[in-house]
Amino acid sequence: MKVVFEHALPNVEGKRLVSVVVNYPPGAKSLPHHHAASAFIYAYVLSGTIRSQVDNDAPKVYHQGEAFYEMPGSHHRMSENASKTEPSSLLAVFVVDAKDDVLTTPDSAPGSR
């Protein structure tokens, strides 16, 4: 995950916008995780296909040009490259409290839910 943009929202006191690019090699996946409790996230697939499951919704596959979102407090149970042969990437745009420095916490991390 690489931060590509970050800026305080001038018209929403105490909030900032952070954009990150997540690159997945073929077959790669992230651990189940939570994001900062204040985070609303818009995710846009830049390349390839991404399989995602948020909370108890059924897993979905998103293709290049498709998008999804996560509400604050969501549990991202699955985030992975749906292809075993092609890389994939997504742009995740966070609207988050300015004080929230940690954007993503894997479930296996101390203090995670």
Side-chain angles (χ1 to χ4, degrees):
M1 183 167 82
K2 178 184 176 187
V3 175
V4 294
F5 179 81
E6 183 172 0
H7 197 278
L9 292 176
N11 58 343
V12 185
E13 188 174 334
K15 294 284 185 180
R16 65 189 172 116
L17 183 120
V18 182
S19 296
V20 300
V21 172
V22 180
N23 293 302
Y24 288 109
K29 59 183 165 183
S30 299
L31 292 172
H33 57 274
H34 287 84
H35 294 290
S38 68
F40 173 80
I41 302 154
Y42 168 79
Y44 179 83
V45 180
L46 297 169
S47 65
T49 53
I50 301 286
R51 183 177 296 112
S52 180
Q53 181 184 17
V54 177
D55 292 328
N56 293 321
D57 293 344
K60 294 182 183 176
V61 174
Y62 298 91
H63 301 272
Q64 181 177 350
E66 296 182 325
F68 60 94
Y69 64 90
E70 295 179 45
M71 297 298 288
S74 295
H75 184 206
H76 203 161
R77 296 178 180 276
M78 176 190 305
S79 183
E80 63 188 23
N81 186 339
S83 173
K84 301 250 185 260
T85 59
E86 299 294 325
S88 63
S89 64
L90 65 86
L91 174 70
V93 179
F94 291 69
V95 177
V96 64
D97 286 350
K99 64 178 174 48
D100 287 337
D101 291 328
V102 177
L103 296 178
T104 303
T105 304
D107 287 358
S108 60
S112 64
R113 297 179 212 172

